[in-house]
Amino acid sequence: MSEDFFSNESSSEGGSLRFLKYLVKEKMWMVGEDSVDLSYVQVDVETMKTGIGRYSGGYEFEWSPVFGSRLYKDGWSDAVSVWLMIHGEDKPVLLETMAGHQVRAFKSMYEQIRNDFRDNLPNLPVFSYKGSETFKTKSGYDSASHTFKLEGYKPRKDGFVVPEWFKEEAAVDAEVTKTEELKSEDIPF
């Protein structure tokens, strides 16, 4: 997949990949070069990933084999990935980021569903976006705090189709992270 850093869109087999991002200084959510109204979002819980990421001439991510477990490498930041459907849009977007304010927003959303999202499948969680507040970090940079509220669970919205290549990539990742079962002769005591 080739990524155009400036448009924040990628071309890949199966069409255009649309990324969601928040511009702190402009105080707006964007998909590519277009601002979007983020009144409600539906979350595909089966695509949620946590891990680490960095930008080194291109974005690099490493995803944890166990959702929510922490990975650490010098120079890397916490990262999240999840497919979302924005109310009023006809195609899903990918939130795949290591921007701290977006990672915190995702974690806040997850905290609201972690105890019951499995019980509600195949319905997916729907969140309302309540707004963002900008603040200065200790190092003097602008950042934001985003507030999302769980409104309930609804059937998958028409058009909320995750690309096949993403599902295949996730299946390969799952195979790679499997460990062989230990045999009794492998146990050292």
Side-chain angles (χ1 to χ4, degrees):
M1 176 169 59
S2 66
E3 185 168 329
D4 178 346
F5 176 73
F6 296 102
S7 72
N8 207 22
E9 298 236 1
S10 295
S11 59
S12 62
E13 291 179 33
S16 178
L17 178 56
R18 298 162 17 106
F19 286 96
L20 177 67
K21 64 183 175 183
Y22 184 79
L23 301 179
V24 174
K25 287 184 181 181
E26 292 81 357
K27 300 179 182 180
M28 68 174 64
W29 290 96
M30 304 283 293
V31 174
E33 297 299 316
D34 300 321
S35 66
V36 291
D37 175 18
L38 210 63
S39 57
Y40 291 92
V41 295
Q42 189 172 48
V43 177
D44 185 335
V45 293
E46 293 178 347
T47 66
M48 296 186 304
K49 297 181 196 177
T50 56
I52 53 177
R54 70 177 178 173
Y55 186 81
S56 179
Y59 287 103
E60 297 177 58
F61 295 97
E62 289 186 17
W63 304 114
S64 172
V66 178
F67 180 83
S69 65
R70 289 194 54 108
L71 300 176
Y72 177 79
K73 281 188 180 178
D74 259 351
W76 293 63
S77 301
D78 285 344
V80 296
S81 177
V82 64
W83 283 89
L84 307 168
M85 190 67 168
I86 300 169
H87 179 68
E89 296 284 313
D90 60 351
K91 294 179 186 169
V93 296
L94 180 60
L95 174 63
E96 190 166 85
T97 185
M98 61 207 172
H101 58 94
Q102 293 176 68
V103 171
R104 287 188 303 273
F106 173 80
K107 288 180 178 179
S108 167
M109 293 166 78
Y110 179 71
E111 285 300 312
Q112 295 176 61
I113 64 170
R114 71 183 181 137
N115 292 324
D116 63 356
F117 76 86
R118 287 178 188 87
D119 295 336
N120 286 285
L121 290 172
N123 292 332
L124 301 177
V126 175
F127 291 87
S128 60
Y129 172 60
K130 299 299 184 183
S132 299
E133 291 185 29
T134 304
F135 63 91
K136 290 269 187 212
T137 65
K138 290 179 184 175
S139 54
Y141 293 103
D142 288 334
S143 190
S145 175
H146 311 289
T147 304
F148 290 87
K149 179 182 177 223
L150 177 64
E151 297 295 346
Y153 292 83
K154 297 285 184 179
R156 180 181 295 271
K157 185 177 182 320
D158 289 341
F160 193 174
V161 179
V162 175
E164 283 301 315
W165 62 262
F166 183 85
K167 293 177 189 174
E168 291 167 7
E169 190 177 276
V172 169
D173 288 346
E175 287 178 24
V176 169
T177 59
K178 283 184 184 175
T179 58
E180 291 184 28
E181 289 187 37
L182 287 177
K183 298 176 185 154
S184 63
E185 59 267 15
D186 295 329
I187 302 170
F189 295 99

